[in-house]
Amino acid sequence: MTLYIGREASKLCKRICAETITEINLLLENWKYLLAGLIFQYIHGLAARGVHYLHRPGPILQDLGFFLLPELGQDKAYISETVFTFVFLSFVLWTFHPFIVKSKKIYTVLVWCRVLAFLVASQILRIITFYSTQLPGPNYHCREGSRLARLPPPESAIEVLLINFPRGIIYGCGDLIFSSHMIFTLVFVRTYQKYGTRRFVKQLAWLIAIIQSLLIVASRKHYTVDVVVAWYTVNLVVFFIDHKLPELPDRSNGSSSLLLPLSTKDKDGKSKEENHKLLNGNAGDAADWRQRTQVNGKILEEGNAVHDTAMNGA
């Protein structure tokens, strides 16, 4: 038993080291995109903080969701945040599974480059929208009588730039249309829908996204329109950007060696070789077959592999 545990631990250690080297090589090639995406997360937070200075509390607007869904109350407002935290942490952990799981599905760096592209595009539209029209916030701390509903003019630029993190993010007002929580949730769900392999998890993820939408409205953190606009805007953004970005390499054909640094001549030769393999339907070394199949850039769930004989009408 001890020998078996030691052998498996050694395999896991080697797997983590090999994956780390691969991801570092990818990081060296794509760090600019990741850094730009992370910087824009701060810019987005800064924009949300800035609109809080413009927020003016007023009567809560008439809302269909408020009429249909019972109000949870301040003491239960944490429920929607708990669901969002679960979605966020689950997705982050999934993107790092190649470091541990033997069956390699994705490249962590490339997936996060894609995710940040979706987030940045959606957040740019969000900033334009909530600065175009400021609505009176329905959240409890944004209502008339709350000392947090209006911010006094900033005393210095440093006060604005620091955005009072994290309190300034949690108790923000004015950044309503459209919901930032739904941007993250839908981007994560759409990404797993394409690159995940568990059908049950995909169905569960969409169900959680719907529950999250209802909880946000029931918690009075957003108007219904904020959630509805997020649903169609984020899905359209992901759809169009996903078609513009180059498709992720398929790890099921053992193409991780392609990520190692190569000279320009080697890269050209390697590209021609891979194109030849793709055109002839070859999937690389037969010894490195994985558990899933990629067709037209989409990862098929486990148990739904496409057979050559079926494709050829045999």
Side-chain angles (χ1 to χ4, degrees):
M1 183 65 180
T2 305
L3 180 62
Y4 173 78
I5 295 176
R7 183 167 62 250
E8 292 301 316
S10 177
K11 290 181 180 179
L12 178 61
C13 182
K14 292 179 180 179
R15 191 179 305 139
I16 293 175
C17 292
E19 190 67 25
T20 300
I21 294 174
T22 300
E23 295 291 348
I24 288 176
N25 289 327
L26 284 172
L27 183 61
L28 293 175
E29 295 179 1
N30 300 279
W31 67 270
K32 294 180 181 178
Y33 305 112
L34 292 174
L35 181 60
L38 293 175
I39 290 176
F40 194 84
Q41 299 311 300
Y42 167 75
I43 295 175
H44 176 250
L46 186 63
R49 178 67 172 178
V51 81
H52 195 166
Y53 289 101
L54 304 176
H55 177 256
R56 296 296 178 266
I60 298 177
L61 303 179
Q62 185 174 348
D63 188 278
L64 180 61
F66 292 178
F67 176 76
L68 296 176
L69 296 175
E71 188 171 349
L72 289 179
Q74 285 183 279
D75 58 329
K76 296 180 180 178
Y78 69 89
I79 297 178
S80 65
E81 293 299 328
T82 302
V83 173
F84 176 75
T85 302
F86 170 76
V87 172
F88 188 92
L89 294 179
S90 299
F91 181 80
V92 171
L93 290 176
W94 171 74
T95 60
F96 283 91
H97 82 266
F99 288 87
I100 300 175
V101 180
K102 182 178 180 180
S103 178
K104 313 294 186 184
K105 307 300 183 184
I106 57 172
Y107 294 107
T108 302
V109 170
L110 298 183
V111 163
W112 276 107
C113 285
R114 212 173 191 86
V115 167
L116 287 171
F118 299 152
L119 291 176
V120 168
S122 300
Q123 289 166 341
I124 289 175
L125 295 177
R126 180 174 189 259
I127 293 172
I128 294 173
T129 305
F130 66 63
Y131 266 103
S132 299
T133 302
Q134 289 87 47
L135 304 178
N139 210 335
Y140 303 102
H141 64 270
C142 298
R143 299 178 183 179
E144 292 180 303
S146 173
R147 62 184 182 86
L148 298 175
R150 300 181 65 169
L151 292 180
E155 298 179 357
S156 64
I158 299 297
E159 180 182 343
V160 178
L161 295 176
L162 292 179
I163 66 176
N164 193 22
F165 184 84
R167 185 178 177 83
I169 302 298
I170 298 175
Y171 295 101
C173 297
D175 56 327
L176 292 174
I177 303 177
F178 42 96
S179 171
S180 179
H181 283 58
M182 290 309 302
I183 290 178
F184 281 90
T185 300
L186 291 172
V187 166
F188 292 165
V189 171
R190 285 292 301 255
T191 303
Y192 187 82
Q193 175 68 30
K194 183 171 184 179
Y195 298 111
T197 60
R198 303 287 183 178
R199 177 178 294 180
F200 170 75
V201 176
K202 294 180 181 181
Q203 296 171 345
L204 179 62
W206 284 112
L207 177 61
I208 292 176
I210 295 173
I211 294 174
Q212 173 77 355
S213 303
L214 299 177
L215 288 173
I216 288 174
V217 176
S219 301
R220 303 304 188 252
K221 295 181 178 180
H222 280 276
Y223 292 107
T224 305
V225 66
D226 307 337
V227 175
V228 172
V229 172
W231 267 91
Y232 64 74
T233 302
V234 176
N235 277 292
L236 287 173
V237 166
V238 173
F239 175 80
F240 284 110
I241 293 183
D242 186 58
H243 282 71
K244 294 294 183 181
L245 294 176
E247 187 51 62
L248 296 185
D250 180 15
R251 299 203 72 172
S252 63
N253 61 10
S255 59
S256 59
S257 60
L258 297 176
L259 301 176
L260 298 177
L262 299 172
S263 65
T264 304
K265 183 177 180 181
D266 290 338
K267 287 182 180 179
D268 293 339
K270 205 71 173 178
S271 298
K272 292 180 180 178
E273 179 183 349
E274 287 303 310
N275 289 334
H276 179 73
K277 287 182 178 180
L278 290 174
L279 290 173
N280 289 278
N282 297 328
D285 189 358
D288 199 34
W289 279 106
R290 304 296 183 183
Q291 297 178 1
R292 70 179 183 173
T293 305
Q294 183 172 2
V295 179
N296 294 330
K298 292 185 178 180
I299 303 302
L300 300 182
E301 293 91 350
E302 293 178 0
N304 290 332
V306 179
H307 299 283
D308 290 339
T309 56
M311 293 180 65
N312 291 322

